[in-house]
Amino acid sequence: MSRHDYDIAVVGGGPGGYVAALRAAQLGLRAALVERAELGGICLNWGCIPTKALLHSAAVLRACRAAADYGVAGAAAARPDLAAMVARSRKVAGQLGRGVAHLLKKNGVAVHRARARLDGPGRLALDDGATLSAAHIVLATGARPRALPALPAGERIWTYREALAPAALPASLLVVGGGAIGVEFASFYRTLGAEVTLAEMAPQILPQEDAEIAGLARQAFEKQGIRVLTDCTVAASCPTAAGVRVTLDQGGRRREVEVERVIVAAGIVGNVEDLGLEQTRVRVERTHIVTDGLGRTAEPGVYAIGDVAGAPWLAHKASHEGLLCVDAIAGQPVQPLDPLRIPACTYAHPQVASVGLSEARAREQAGAAGRRIRVGRFPYAGNGKALAMGEAEGLVKTVFDADSGELLGAHIIHPEAAELIAGYGVAATLEATEADLMHTVFAHPTLAEALHESVLAAYGRALHI
């Protein structure tokens, strides 16, 4: 056996790829990981983790500004130190990157720092001249920001990378794209004092979320001073002496926005180029590799997971796909991934989190099947812990099948929504019914009690509203 012979070779060291390699090693398989850039991928280095570090800095700043409301004097004069915030976020990302490298070494995964492409069945050619052979090859090459011709990236027009490490705070900012990434950047920069405009081409911001929850999020952002524009596309842009002038088309009506900087957060495209796919039966649709529920492509021995394999583009989805894919390769009993049981979280202020169907989608599906749904709502204004924390704005919303009691969807808007949604995620995975949730004892006082009350409300049994 040569040192380049493996049971599994993974291309891409992001949250899908490195987890797949670790799982393979746990199962006793000879595993290799090929990564051309930073271990941990975009998520750990330039996405999920550093953005959350910055958003936490913003949360601390908000807490200081509101400290007098909690009987704490002297903190209201707190001001943002952007350079220190950025330095802290880079430090956190670096620490986790070193942790991933340690885990791979500890588990005996061979790491190759190179670019790879398929070179015939079971073979990878690396750009350092080496060739790897493996019985199974897992592509986890991720995705990159979608470019907009009207907004060419540069000094004044940023992608997420520039937005994560700015040299100075822009006085004004246009964020193009009202999905999770755009909303998070808008929230961060607004908290620090920038004048922020958020433009989204869909009729609502957070287009994948329940319309009622997205509407509440919009109200909250506008209350904070964020200007929100929907049904809006970018027609053109041009530099000015102070920044950028952007022409927007809003339902046929043109409007111009002049800002110091622009952040483009208008979706992603899969990294499918230069992988050697053209010599295989692997299918690519709309820049994403087509797979089944266990990561298998149309080419025997070739698999794809994570963002390159399509929506939802979430790190935890990628990691779980990596586990399922490797377990299936190893002959472990597995079930295909159900997208409706993957939670989605937006870490703005307030946070938005959900799992399952929106109310509109549930009604549509139920109507087509001749069924009914029940919807429960519970506002955080009725939750004692939320009042004690001074975070009483928010809502928990649940959607059930009226006949079977199946939990079809759950939606939360609150500063702690991303932590709270896990309860409903567990319930959905266990196929819990409304009866199971009603009979679950929630500790008091906790924010999680609102999850219970929303279930009760769906059946006319809410206690505190």
Side-chain angles (χ1 to χ4, degrees):
M1 182 189 76
S2 74
R3 66 184 182 89
H4 295 316
D5 290 335
Y6 301 99
D7 298 310
I8 293 181
V10 182
V11 181
Y18 86 75
V19 167
L22 288 175
R23 180 57 178 156
Q26 286 180 346
L27 293 171
L29 302 175
R30 295 165 296 160
L33 176 68
V34 185
E35 171 54 57
R36 63 180 176 84
E38 300 157 304
L39 292 174
I42 296 300
C43 173
L44 189 155
N45 294 283
W46 294 99
C48 316
I49 300 304
T51 56
K52 304 315 166 282
L54 291 177
L55 287 163
H56 186 71
S57 292
V60 172
L61 180 61
R62 281 193 302 272
C64 289
R65 290 170 174 169
D69 296 338
Y70 299 87
V72 179
R79 59 179 181 79
D81 183 338
L82 181 59
M85 291 180 178
V86 171
R88 178 180 178 274
S89 75
R90 302 314 311 152
K91 180 180 179 181
V92 170
Q95 178 181 347
L96 286 173
R98 291 188 296 274
V100 171
H102 170 73
L103 290 171
L104 292 167
K105 182 177 180 180
K106 173 185 172 183
N107 284 274
V109 176
V111 176
H112 297 264
R113 307 307 289 266
R115 186 187 297 269
R117 61 180 284 123
L118 297 170
D119 187 35
R123 290 168 59 86
L124 286 171
L126 309 189
D127 63 357
D128 63 3
T131 299
L132 307 185
S133 62
H136 306 276
I137 295 173
V138 179
L139 303 176
T141 52
R144 62 187 184 277
R146 182 181 301 279
L148 297 181
L151 290 170
E155 179 185 355
R156 299 175 180 180
I157 300 175
W158 293 346
T159 67
Y160 62 87
R161 285 203 178 229
E162 294 80 18
L164 279 169
L169 178 68
S172 57
L173 182 69
L174 169 66
V175 180
V176 178
I181 295 173
V183 164
E184 288 177 3
F185 277 125
S187 180
F188 171 73
Y189 278 99
R190 180 59 192 148
T191 300
L192 268 60
E195 293 296 322
V196 177
T197 299
L198 177 64
E200 165 57 42
M201 67 180 298
Q204 67 177 55
I205 59 170
L206 301 174
Q208 303 304 316
E209 297 292 345
D210 181 86
E212 180 180 6
I213 299 296
L216 292 173
R218 178 172 183 162
Q219 291 176 21
F221 300 150
E222 290 178 333
K223 185 177 179 180
Q224 295 166 29
I226 297 174
R227 181 189 185 196
V228 179
L229 305 174
T230 51
D231 289 307
C232 207
T233 58
V234 177
S237 69
C238 65
T240 66
V244 187
R245 180 184 300 114
V246 181
T247 302
L248 301 173
D249 187 325
Q250 192 173 30
R253 174 170 165 256
R254 293 291 179 101
R255 67 165 73 208
E256 290 190 341
V257 177
E258 291 197 27
V259 291
E260 188 176 328
R261 295 289 186 271
V262 177
I263 297 176
V264 179
I268 62 174
V269 294
N271 292 325
V272 295
E273 300 85 359
D274 198 30
L275 291 178
L277 300 180
E278 61 278 1
Q279 304 301 322
T280 72
R281 284 179 279 179
V282 173
R283 291 173 49 220
V284 176
E285 292 182 359
R286 301 179 67 179
T287 80
H288 293 93
I289 295 173
V290 177
T291 66
D292 66 6
L294 296 174
R296 294 174 293 216
T297 72
E299 177 72 19
V302 177
Y303 310 78
I305 61 171
D307 286 356
V308 76
W313 300 290
L314 301 167
H316 45 281
K317 172 256 194 183
S319 295
H320 200 73
E321 278 186 328
L323 295 175
L324 292 180
C325 179
V326 172
D327 280 355
I329 289 171
Q332 301 289 313
V334 292
Q335 293 293 327
L337 184 61
D338 182 353
L340 291 178
R341 292 177 182 170
I342 302 172
C345 302
T346 300
Y347 297 82
H349 179 70
Q351 296 177 4
V352 172
S354 63
V355 64
L357 299 175
S358 66
E359 178 184 353
R361 187 72 185 277
R363 288 193 184 281
E364 177 186 343
Q365 291 190 6
R371 303 177 71 85
R372 299 173 299 115
I373 67 169
R374 284 182 174 269
V375 179
R377 298 174 178 84
F378 189 81
Y380 267 100
N383 178 269
K385 180 65 179 295
L387 290 167
M389 295 171 64
E391 294 181 343
E393 291 190 9
L395 179 74
V396 180
K397 179 176 180 178
T398 46
V399 183
F400 291 89
D401 182 287
D403 300 314
S404 68
E406 177 187 0
L407 176 64
L408 301 176
H411 310 271
I412 308 172
I413 179 168
H414 186 268
E416 300 296 333
E419 299 294 335
L420 293 163
I421 198 64
Y424 286 132
V426 171
T429 298
L430 296 178
E431 300 182 347
T433 66
E434 93 291 355
D436 298 318
L437 290 166
M438 285 182 182
H439 289 95
T440 298
V441 179
F442 288 75
H444 174 79
T446 63
L447 297 173
E449 287 178 280
L451 278 61
H452 189 224
E453 288 273 11
S454 181
V455 177
L456 294 174
Y459 290 83
R461 294 171 57 178
L463 298 170
H464 294 96
I465 53 172

